[in-house]
Amino acid sequence: KQEVTQIPAALSVPEGENLVLNCSFTDSAIYNLQWFRQDPGKGLTSLLLIQSSQREQTSGRLNASLDKSSGRSTLYIAASQPGDSATYLCAAISSGSARQLTFGSGTQLTVLP
Amino acid sequence: EAQVTQNPRYLITVTGKKLTVTCSQNMNHEYMSWYRQDPGLGLRQIYYSMNVEVTDKGDVPEGYKVSRKEKRNFPLILESPSPNQTSLYFCASRAQGNLYEQYFGPGTRLTVT
């Protein structure tokens, strides 16, 4: 059974810093890896999806990498801003027909002005 | 506006009193699912549906029922709620085969006393 772990559980940084969030998964036979953002009182917003054949994806100040062989993914946020404060979740997507998502417990990020 | 709606957003109930949380999407998506989110455990899938009249168990289906009589609706039913079902519940939908454009509802916070 797939297990996804995110470290650290919480992170506080001053505005402008570059930071890395970590995600690890136990079963490397994934279809895709996806990063989400969750804001209090709101649902999840998809940030980046990395297909199993890719090594990274970029969107603006966000860059996500995937190393299937080691069971790891990282989300890099450049020049952090207070508006980046949220909980970031990664999800491993199974290769089965239902493409089920297994989520990590998230990293709660606070960017201080 | 493309969206997933859930009702109610907040619910406090007592043990054993049947309840239904509704979920509706306006995007004609085939795939819908329910998750629960608990501190330190991330989101765990309860049930999913790949189309009308097609439902299947996720990772934590015990104590829950679902139905998919119409494409747009996917209600979650707790026939005899217990305190361990106190949680934050999310409904999600996506087009079959389109993993990136997943839409999550705003969440339903359920407390069972």
Side-chain angles (χ1 to χ4, degrees), chain A residues 38-39 42-44 87 89 103-106, chain B residues 34-46 86-90 108-109:
Chain A
Q38 183 178 18
D39 294 283
K42 298 184 179 180
L44 278 67
T87 297
L89 297 156
F103 284 86
S105 54
Chain B
W34 277 103
Y35 295 87
R36 61 178 289 173
Q37 184 177 31
D38 302 289
L41 295 177
L43 277 81
R44 294 177 293 168
Q45 191 178 56
I46 303 170
T86 293
S87 188
L88 179 58
Y89 291 86
F90 288 101
T108 294
R109 186 165 292 281

Side-chain angles (χ1 to χ4, degrees), chain B:
Chain B
E1 180 190 353
Q3 61 181 354
V4 177
T5 57
Q6 294 179 227
N7 282 292
R9 294 288 312 277
Y10 302 91
L11 179 60
I12 301 174
T13 190
V14 296
T15 299
K17 186 176 181 181
K18 181 179 179 179
L19 67 92
T20 299
V21 183
T22 64
C23 173
S24 182
Q25 50 93 5
N26 63 0
M27 296 161 281
N28 202 38
H29 286 165
E30 294 86 7
Y31 185 97
M32 297 184 75
S33 59
W34 277 103
Y35 295 87
R36 61 178 289 173
Q37 184 177 31
D38 302 289
L41 295 177
L43 277 81
R44 294 177 293 168
Q45 191 178 56
I46 303 170
Y47 269 95
Y48 65 94
S49 169
M50 296 178 76
N51 215 324
V52 176
E53 302 291 1
V54 180
T55 63
D56 210 343
K57 297 178 180 178
D59 294 321
V60 288
E62 295 77 20
Y64 304 95
K65 285 177 59 176
V66 293
S67 68
R68 187 91 182 273
K69 294 183 171 55
E70 306 166 283
K71 201 171 188 179
R72 63 182 294 129
N73 296 322
F74 190 45
L76 180 69
I77 303 158
L78 286 72
E79 297 218 325
S80 184
S82 62
N84 64 13
Q85 293 178 299
T86 293
S87 188
L88 179 58
Y89 291 86
F90 288 101
C91 179
S93 77
R94 62 173 169 82
Q96 200 75 286
N98 184 346
L99 278 165
Y100 190 77
E101 290 191 302
Q102 293 198 78
Y103 293 81
F104 279 78
T108 294
R109 186 165 292 281
L110 172 66
T111 302
V112 183
T113 62

Side-chain angles (χ1 to χ4, degrees), chain A residues 31-101:
Chain A
Y31 186 71
N32 293 326
L33 192 290
Q34 195 162 7
W35 283 91
F36 294 85
R37 170 184 172 136
Q38 183 178 18
D39 294 283
K42 298 184 179 180
L44 278 67
T45 302
S46 182
L47 296 173
L48 290 163
L49 182 145
I50 313 173
Q51 297 180 16
S52 61
S53 58
Q54 298 174 319
R55 291 193 65 85
E56 65 179 74
Q57 278 284 341
T58 298
S59 176
R61 293 182 294 109
L62 306 179
N63 175 277
S65 68
L66 174 64
D67 184 343
K68 276 187 61 177
S69 61
S70 67
R72 294 182 181 178
S73 177
T74 62
L75 178 67
Y76 175 82
I77 303 177
S80 58
Q81 303 170 358
D84 294 331
S85 297
T87 297
Y88 291 81
L89 297 156
C90 69
I93 301 170
S94 72
S95 299
S97 60
R99 299 284 190 258
Q100 289 183 269
L101 277 69

